[in-house]
Amino acid sequence: AQDPPQVSQGAIAELAEGTRAVAQGNLEQHIEGEGDDEVGTLVTSFNAMTQDLKTSRDELEDRRRYLEIVLGNISAGVISTDPAGRITMLNPAAAALLGVARRDGLGRALVDVFPPAARGAVTQMVAELLDGARETAQTTVVERQLELGSEATHSAVLVTGTPLGDDNGKVEGVVLFLEDVTHLLRV
């Protein structure tokens, strides 16, 4: 009769500790001791998994940075919300059109960043977007022209909205595009 293979308790402890570290977000884990036995195979798989996770995280971070650069450099304002109507993204153009600091807009209710005179129209617009998204599988698009600012800084803004849905069609919020059309109306 053969003796059962000896399992390296040190490798098992390293795998357990490495797993805890990865669960807490530390993807820099690498465990020595890869080999042909079962524990070595686990160590090899663990190392490959952490490298794949790190690569995926880095790619996502690169995409996020790129999207931030694009949104930061377009002249149209872009705002997105979560399902509760709280702002999750507010690009610099939207912040400038609305006269709010980006950091102050994030997490606030969408209607709160609009001037009081425009809040009713924004509320109605969002309701139409969400109702349309629930009633049809097609993308609903709603447009409104809103007046923003004071008499001294008056601007006309075309606001185009669409529901923000996931791959299963579940509504995750709305996206609004704001374009200053003041110069077009002065002609």
Side-chain angles (χ1 to χ4, degrees), residues 53-69:
L53 287 170
K54 184 176 181 314
T55 300
S56 294
R57 181 191 65 194
D58 292 347
E59 288 172 358
L60 283 172
E61 182 60 22
D62 288 346
R63 288 180 189 165
R64 185 197 62 75
R65 271 193 302 265
Y66 177 76
L67 184 58
E68 267 189 19
I69 290 168

Side-chain angles (χ1 to χ4, degrees), residues 26 47 51-52 65 69 85 88 93 98 124-125 155 163 171-172:
N26 180 354
N47 289 335
Q51 184 58 46
D52 289 348
R65 271 193 302 265
I69 290 168
T88 56
L98 296 168
Q124 181 183 10
M125 185 177 187
S155 60
V171 176
E172 296 291 332

Side-chain angles (χ1 to χ4, degrees), residues 145-157 180 182 185-186:
Q145 182 179 316
L146 302 177
E147 306 297 320
L148 302 179
S150 63
E151 286 187 32
T153 62
H154 176 267
S155 60
V157 177
D180 188 347
T182 307
L185 298 176
R186 287 186 183 145

Side-chain angles (χ1 to χ4, degrees), residues 12 29-30 34 50 74 82 105 138 146 148 166 170 177:
I12 300 277
Q29 299 298 307
H30 181 83
E34 297 180 10
T50 56
I74 61 174
D82 64 13
Q138 295 184 347
L146 302 177
L148 302 179
D166 66 12
K170 180 181 174 195
F177 300 93

Side-chain angles (χ1 to χ4, degrees), residues 117-156:
R119 290 180 183 165
V122 172
T123 300
Q124 181 183 10
M125 185 177 187
V126 170
E128 286 178 39
L129 288 168
L130 297 177
D131 288 345
R134 283 191 278 272
E135 294 172 8
T136 178
Q138 295 184 347
T139 301
T140 303
V141 177
V142 176
E143 283 187 351
R144 295 279 187 287
Q145 182 179 316
L146 302 177
E147 306 297 320
L148 302 179
S150 63
E151 286 187 32
T153 62
H154 176 267
S155 60

Side-chain angles (χ1 to χ4, degrees), residues 71-114:
L71 289 172
N73 287 293
I74 61 174
S75 61
V78 182
I79 304 172
S80 66
T81 72
D82 64 13
R86 301 251 171 238
I87 296 173
T88 56
M89 196 279 306
L90 177 75
N91 77 340
L97 282 168
L98 296 168
V100 298
R102 286 182 66 207
R103 67 182 172 279
D104 295 338
L106 294 175
R108 288 178 62 188
L110 175 65
V111 296
D112 289 349
V113 298
F114 282 87

